[in-house]
């Protein structure tokens, strides 16, 4: 299953770690930094990746809560039937770090994974991979 990872540029190292864990669990993560080349149109690359993915892990961090790209990507995935039940926000950090606007309105009805330490992040991503494996889209979808 192709998994779009939504993240802010400040969280690139975290996104790489998440992608590595998802790949080790048999999923195909999509990261902008690994799929955008000189001369590419970032908006077109995002659109293509969102259309071709079946799931999303959105990294919600102090940086990403202010990212218009992350909000756009989340809005797309949550409104797309092809992602139904496979949009999983991973909240990284304490509530004090994230601030009052940590949850975009589009996440109000979505269950989230939470982590604050490196070990918790690893466990959360393993749980996310297991959940996605149970909710694999059918071939007919």
């Amino acid at each position: 299953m192709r998994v779009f990872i939504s993240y802010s540029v400040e969280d690139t190292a975290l996104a790489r770690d998440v992608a590595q864990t998802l790949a080790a669990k048999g999923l195909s993560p999509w990261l902008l930094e690994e799929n955008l080349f000189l001369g590419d149109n970032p908006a077109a690359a995002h659109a293509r990746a969102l259309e071709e993915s079946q799931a999303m892990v959105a990294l919600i961090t102090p940086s990403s809560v202010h990212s218009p790209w992350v909000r756009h990507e989340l809005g797309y995935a949550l409104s797309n039937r092809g992602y139904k039940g496979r949009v999983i926000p991973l909240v990284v950090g304490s509530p004090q770090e994230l601030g009052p606007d940590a949850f975009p309105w589009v996440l109000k009805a979505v269950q989230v994974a939470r982590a604050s330490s490196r070990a918790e992040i690893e466990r959360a991503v393993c749980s996310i991979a297991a959940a996605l494996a149970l909710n694999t889209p059918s071939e007919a979808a």
Side-chain angles (χ1 to χ4, degrees), residues 105-130:
W105 67 269
V106 295
L107 296 181
K108 300 278 186 212
V110 177
Q111 188 172 5
V112 301
R114 296 178 187 273
S116 56
S117 70
R118 189 157 186 78
E120 287 177 357
I121 293 167
E122 178 80 18
R123 281 192 297 272
V125 176
C126 288
S127 295
I128 289 168

Side-chain angles (χ1 to χ4, degrees), residues 9-133:
V9 69
E10 295 87 356
D11 297 323
T12 299
L14 173 60
R16 277 191 217 121
D17 291 345
V18 169
Q20 185 175 24
T21 301
L22 291 174
K25 297 295 182 182
L27 298 168
S28 299
W30 188 91
L31 287 176
L32 177 64
E33 72 160 16
E34 294 177 358
N35 293 283
L36 190 64
F37 305 99
L38 289 175
D40 282 351
N41 177 330
H46 270 93
R48 187 172 48 256
L50 284 165
E51 288 173 5
E52 295 173 355
S53 296
Q54 296 87 30
M56 176 184 286
V57 173
L59 302 181
I60 307 300
T61 68
S63 299
S64 71
V65 297
H66 303 291
S67 169
W69 279 102
V70 171
R71 287 180 186 253
H72 171 74
E73 293 159 359
L74 275 166
Y76 175 87
L78 289 170
S79 66
N80 186 308
R81 289 189 301 180
Y83 280 84
K84 186 175 181 183
R86 292 182 303 277
V87 177
I88 304 174
L90 173 56
V91 178
V92 179
S94 70
Q96 295 80 17
E97 290 175 300
L98 292 169
D101 59 349
F103 291 95
W105 67 269
V106 295
L107 296 181
K108 300 278 186 212
V110 177
Q111 188 172 5
V112 301
R114 296 178 187 273
S116 56
S117 70
R118 189 157 186 78
E120 287 177 357
I121 293 167
E122 178 80 18
R123 281 192 297 272
V125 176
C126 288
S127 295
I128 289 168
L132 291 174

